[in-house]
């Protein structure tokens, strides 16, 4: 190319940048398309399931209540030994049921973790590795501005500028070819409801009412304000000096943060945690005479941090206002959970209702309100603080009360156990990654539920088997091997002392990984930096 032509093209490119008509960052590689035959097979199966006669027996099909906390650390629950936040209602649930000592989620971040719970499959198997996105940089100017923005703090734009078109974003979520637990149970004659946070897609085909839920109340995205505005009287709030927290406050209750009932935006004046409680109780009262699946994903204690003044007063001795509001949010949620369980008992549903309680991932240590101690790391990280979570199951008359179960279990087991115990027929060829926990808890099966557990997100790889856990970043070139029996806090890296064990775990991971899609359905944008034990890590957001 001669110099005048090159100079002209450089000038033209500069004009495009200046005027905002910059080179697009959108790419056709991120098209999301469903397998039409698989989708048709799924729809035919669900139609056939609906037409089958309802199972009749002297014992009706059990009801199911799945209660989920959002970013609640294992050691923010007093039944696990936490001293700073009393959670008497969660503790009581554990005292009347089974407390899982080593429960794991499939991802240390909200959305993929929830996808796994509702499908019973590792989300990586269908390309769901990161959060559904609401926005991508559409051109080089926006991308460069974000990549070089100082206000992002510990957040870092870490992907190349290749993103989906705007209309492809609406397809993000659990693939339509996957059948959710709600879809199965709805087709089997259960009344289904989600009361709380969805965060599994906001496009018209991805909202809860299209994915198996008869009734919906809550919001579609990652967060929402707990009160109508920051200025609502009678509440304390705390805004962290963090890009993500400030963004969530600025969103208020717009877009996916809006409160909706069956896809219609509603005005909610009550504190959101208590509104979720009240809607759940209302559902129980209205449907106590039929089999139901009630999914109650609270938004607490996810940011933005807001709590009623009366609950903050309970923690007046806590000097740090950030922690005070956080503790108050957990206490309020614990009371709301207690009210729901009380209603179950009042309605005489206790002996025929399976109740689950779990957190979608570990506590968000980057808020400064929790550190997940004695576990290392927190939300976003693949250390124990990010993936080892509080988990309780209660089923009166079927499970021993006050039992503590120590072998590793997975959030994937919620789907398998529920489907098995409710007699739900699954589609032919449906391969679940969880197991039915009941035989292990009753002693009918010996051994352990899971020989191996796996994690993958972009450059992070992890596998756990028995006492050993391997974790690595293939991009950043670090690797750790821990013995969790002796070192649950992950302080001693044993890779050099145990090269054969390390190789075996890597081989286990590679075998699992070889059956997964090479890339996810959509790209993420950022990593977040963590300094843990004096070392710098970047984990996918």
């Amino acid at each position: 190319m001669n110099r005048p032509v090159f100079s002209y093209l450089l000038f033209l490119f500069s004009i495009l940048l200046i005027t905002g008509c910059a080179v697009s960052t959108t790419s056709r590689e991120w098209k999301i398309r469903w397998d039409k035959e698989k989708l048709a097979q799924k729809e035919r199966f669900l139609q056939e399931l609906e037409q089958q006669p309802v199972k009749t027996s002297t014992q009706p099909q059990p009801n199911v209540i799945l209660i989920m906390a959002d970013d609640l650390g294992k050691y923010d629950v007093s039944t696990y030994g936490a001293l700073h936040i009393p959670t008497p209602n969660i503790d009581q649930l554990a005292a009347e049921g089974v407390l899982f000592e080593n429960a794991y989620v499939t991802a240390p971040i909200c959305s993929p973790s929830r996808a796994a719970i509702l499908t019973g499959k590792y989300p990586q198997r269908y390309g769901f590795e990161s959060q559904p996105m609401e926005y991508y940089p559409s051109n080089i100017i926006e991308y460069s501005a974000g990549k070089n923005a100082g206000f992002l703090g510990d957040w870092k734009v870490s992907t190349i500028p290749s993103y989906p078109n705007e209309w492809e974003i609406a397809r993000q979520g659990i693939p339509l070819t996957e059948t959710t637990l709600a879809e199965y149970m709805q087709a089997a004659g259960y009344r289904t409801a989600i009361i709380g946070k969805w965060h599994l897609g906001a496009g018209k085909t991805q909202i809860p009412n299209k994915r198996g839920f008869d009734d919906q109340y809550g919001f579609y995205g990652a967060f929402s304000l707990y009160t109508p505005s920051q200025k609502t009287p009678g509440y304390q709030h705390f805004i962290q000096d963090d890009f993500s927290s400030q963004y969530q406050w600025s969103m208020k209750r717009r877009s996916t943060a809006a409160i909706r009932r069956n896809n219609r935006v509603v005005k909610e004046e009550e504190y959101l945690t208590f509104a979720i409680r009240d809607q759940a109780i209302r559902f129980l009262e209205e449907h106590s005479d039929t089999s139901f699946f009630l999914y109650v994903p609270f938004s607490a204690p996810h940011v933005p941090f807001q709590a009623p003044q009366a609950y903050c007063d309970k923690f007046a001795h806590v000097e740090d206002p950030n922690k005070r509001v956080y503790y108050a949010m957990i206490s309020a949620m614990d009371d709301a959970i207690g009210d729901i369980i009380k209603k179950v008992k009042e309605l005489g549903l206790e002996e025929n209702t399976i109740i689950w309680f779990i957190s979608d991932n570990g506590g968000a240590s980057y808020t400064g309100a929790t550190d997940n101690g004695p576990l290392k790391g927190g939300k976003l990280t693949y250390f124990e603080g990010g993936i080892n979570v509080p988990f309780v199951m209660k089923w009166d008359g079927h499970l021993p009360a006050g039992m503590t179960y120590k072998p590793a279990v997975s959030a994937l087991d919620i789907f398998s156990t529920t489907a098995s115990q409710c007699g739900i027929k699954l589609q032919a060829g449906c391969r679940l990654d969880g197991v039915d926990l009941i035989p292990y808890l009753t002693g009918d099966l010996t051994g352990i539920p899971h020989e191996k557990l796996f994690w993958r997100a972009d450059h992070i790889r992890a596998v756990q088997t028995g006492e050993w856990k391997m974790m690595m970043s293939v991009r950043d070139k670090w690797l750790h091997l821990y013995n969790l029996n002796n070192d649950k806090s992950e302080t001693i890296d044993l890779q050099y002392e145990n090269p054969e064990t390390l190789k075996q775990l890597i081989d286990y991971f590679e075998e699992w990984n070889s059956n997964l899609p090479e890339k996810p359905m959509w790209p993420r944008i950022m990593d977040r930096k963590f300094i843990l034990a004096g070392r710098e890590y970047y984990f996918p957001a």
Side-chain angles (χ1 to χ4, degrees):
M1 184 182 296
N2 61 44
R3 190 176 188 85
V5 172
F6 177 79
S7 298
Y8 173 75
L9 291 175
L10 183 61
F11 169 76
L12 180 61
F13 183 71
S14 300
I15 292 297
L16 289 172
L17 289 177
I18 293 170
T19 59
C21 300
V23 176
S24 173
T25 60
T26 58
S27 170
R28 293 175 60 86
E29 73 170 308
W30 297 110
K31 277 189 173 183
I32 297 176
R33 296 293 180 266
W34 317 124
D35 184 314
K36 293 183 179 179
E37 180 55 32
K38 284 185 178 180
L39 189 56
Q41 289 174 357
K42 168 188 166 179
E43 291 173 348
R44 285 195 298 269
F45 174 81
L46 292 178
Q47 289 173 0
E48 292 171 1
L49 190 60
E50 287 178 354
Q51 295 168 2
Q52 292 177 2
V54 177
K55 175 183 173 184
T56 58
S57 67
T58 55
Q59 183 68 26
Q61 289 175 289
N63 306 307
V64 180
I65 301 176
L66 170 56
I67 301 172
M68 185 181 295
D70 195 355
D71 295 359
L72 180 70
K74 180 176 178 179
Y75 291 100
D76 287 330
V77 178
S78 51
T79 193
Y80 284 98
L83 301 176
H84 52 296
I85 314 171
T87 53
N89 294 291
I90 298 174
D91 297 357
Q92 182 65 28
L93 190 64
E96 296 174 354
V98 179
L99 180 75
F100 295 98
E101 185 61 38
N102 286 295
Y104 289 91
V105 287
T106 58
I109 193 167
C110 306
S111 198
S113 174
R114 293 161 188 258
I117 289 170
L118 287 186
T119 62
K121 301 177 182 180
Y122 281 109
Q124 296 86 354
R125 290 221 273 121
Y126 44 86
F128 200 139
E129 288 192 19
S130 61
Q131 316 271 57
M133 303 298 297
E134 296 179 22
Y135 168 82
Y136 289 98
S138 61
N139 57 59
I140 294 297
I141 287 180
E142 293 178 353
Y143 173 81
S144 298
K147 192 171 181 64
N148 299 306
F151 65 82
L152 292 179
D154 287 335
W155 298 93
K156 175 186 177 184
V157 174
S158 56
T159 52
I160 61 173
S162 174
Y163 302 121
N165 284 293
E166 182 178 353
W167 55 88
E168 293 292 339
I169 297 175
R171 293 174 174 263
Q172 294 181 5
I174 297 174
L176 297 186
T177 47
E178 294 294 329
T179 309
T180 69
L181 181 59
E183 288 174 309
Y184 274 119
M185 298 191 78
Q186 184 184 58
Y190 276 74
R191 184 75 182 191
T192 59
I194 174 174
I195 312 294
K197 170 177 170 174
W198 174 236
H199 203 196
L200 291 171
K204 62 182 181 180
T205 61
Q206 295 289 12
I207 60 176
N209 292 123
K210 297 292 185 178
R211 301 312 307 262
F213 290 100
D214 297 306
D215 303 300
Q216 176 271 334
Y217 170 88
F219 58 96
Y220 292 161
F223 57 86
S224 183
L225 287 184
Y226 291 82
T227 64
S229 77
Q230 184 179 329
K231 298 180 179 179
T232 304
Y235 298 88
Q236 282 192 22
H237 66 268
F238 188 89
I239 305 176
Q240 291 85 16
D241 184 19
D242 180 271
F243 159 72
S244 62
S245 175
Q246 294 177 19
Y247 168 72
Q248 289 162 19
W249 279 98
S250 68
M251 276 289 291
K252 300 180 181 178
R253 284 185 171 174
R254 297 193 300 266
S255 185
T256 58
I259 308 301
R260 289 177 165 85
R261 177 178 285 110
N262 294 326
N263 202 32
R264 297 187 66 177
V265 175
V266 296
K267 187 176 182 180
E268 180 58 72
E269 298 289 345
E270 190 174 18
Y271 184 60
L272 186 56
T273 297
F274 295 154
I276 291 171
R277 171 201 63 193
D278 292 349
Q279 294 295 326
I281 288 174
R282 175 183 173 186
F283 176 87
L284 291 172
E285 292 173 338
E286 293 178 352
H287 301 286
S288 61
D289 60 347
T290 187
S291 296
F292 60 80
F293 170 46
L294 173 59
Y295 176 35
V296 189
F298 284 95
S299 54
H302 193 290
V303 288
F305 281 6
Q306 291 178 286
Q309 184 64 52
Y311 280 86
C312 291
D313 290 344
K314 292 170 59 176
F315 298 94
H317 60 284
V318 178
E319 294 183 3
D320 184 344
N322 186 24
K323 292 183 177 181
R324 187 187 313 125
V325 177
Y326 179 74
Y327 296 174
M329 293 169 70
I330 294 172
S331 181
M333 179 180 64
D334 181 74
D335 279 353
I337 291 170
D339 290 339
I340 293 171
I341 303 304
K342 180 181 178 182
K343 179 56 64 173
V344 171
K345 294 178 179 180
E346 288 178 354
L347 293 171
L349 301 173
E350 197 172 13
E351 291 189 4
N352 196 44
T353 301
I354 300 171
I355 301 175
W356 302 95
F357 170 77
I358 195 168
S359 179
D360 60 349
N361 47 251
S365 57
Y366 55 80
T367 64
T370 183
D371 62 6
N372 294 297
L375 302 182
K376 186 176 183 178
K379 180 180 179 178
L380 297 179
T381 83
Y382 288 74
F383 292 104
E384 293 292 285
I387 56 176
N388 192 313
V389 298
F391 189 26
V392 175
M393 180 187 187
K394 178 178 183 285
W395 192 10
D396 272 20
H398 298 264
L399 293 175
M403 178 181 183
T404 296
Y405 189 74
K406 293 186 177 181
V409 298
S410 171
L412 294 162
D413 302 332
I414 293 173
F415 188 115
S416 299
T417 305
T418 298
S420 175
Q421 297 303 316
C422 294
I424 304 298
K425 180 182 177 182
L426 302 182
Q427 187 174 353
C430 176
R431 173 190 164 192
L432 299 179
D433 292 311
V435 301
D436 182 357
L437 290 174
I438 299 297
Y440 294 95
L441 301 177
T442 59
D444 293 333
L445 275 181
T446 57
I448 58 175
H450 297 276
E451 294 290 341
K452 307 176 191 74
L453 294 172
F454 299 96
W455 294 267
R456 187 187 86 175
D458 199 85
H459 58 97
I460 300 295
R461 311 281 191 266
V463 58
Q464 179 181 332
T465 179
E467 62 193 310
W468 294 102
K469 177 181 174 184
M470 184 280 298
M471 179 170 57
M472 72 168 88
S473 167
V474 295
R475 185 194 70 186
D476 299 340
K477 308 303 180 186
W478 56 259
L479 183 149
H480 297 307
L481 178 69
Y482 298 111
N483 185 309
L484 296 180
N485 282 1
N486 302 325
D487 181 27
K488 196 68 172 176
S489 299
E490 297 171 296
T491 60
I492 305 171
D493 189 341
L494 297 173
Q495 58 177 302
Y496 300 110
E497 291 86 347
N498 299 273
E500 293 183 1
T501 299
L502 176 63
K503 182 182 184 305
Q504 186 176 53
L505 266 65
I506 292 175
D507 289 345
Y508 287 154
F509 178 85
E510 291 302 332
E511 181 183 2
W512 177 75
N513 193 53
S514 66
N515 296 310
L516 302 180
E518 289 188 8
K519 69 185 186 75
M521 285 190 292
W522 59 83
R524 61 192 181 83
I525 298 178
M526 293 183 175
D527 281 350
R528 186 183 173 97
K529 181 175 73 174
F530 292 83
I531 305 295
L532 300 170
R535 181 166 184 169
E536 184 175 280
Y537 298 90
Y538 282 89
F539 285 98

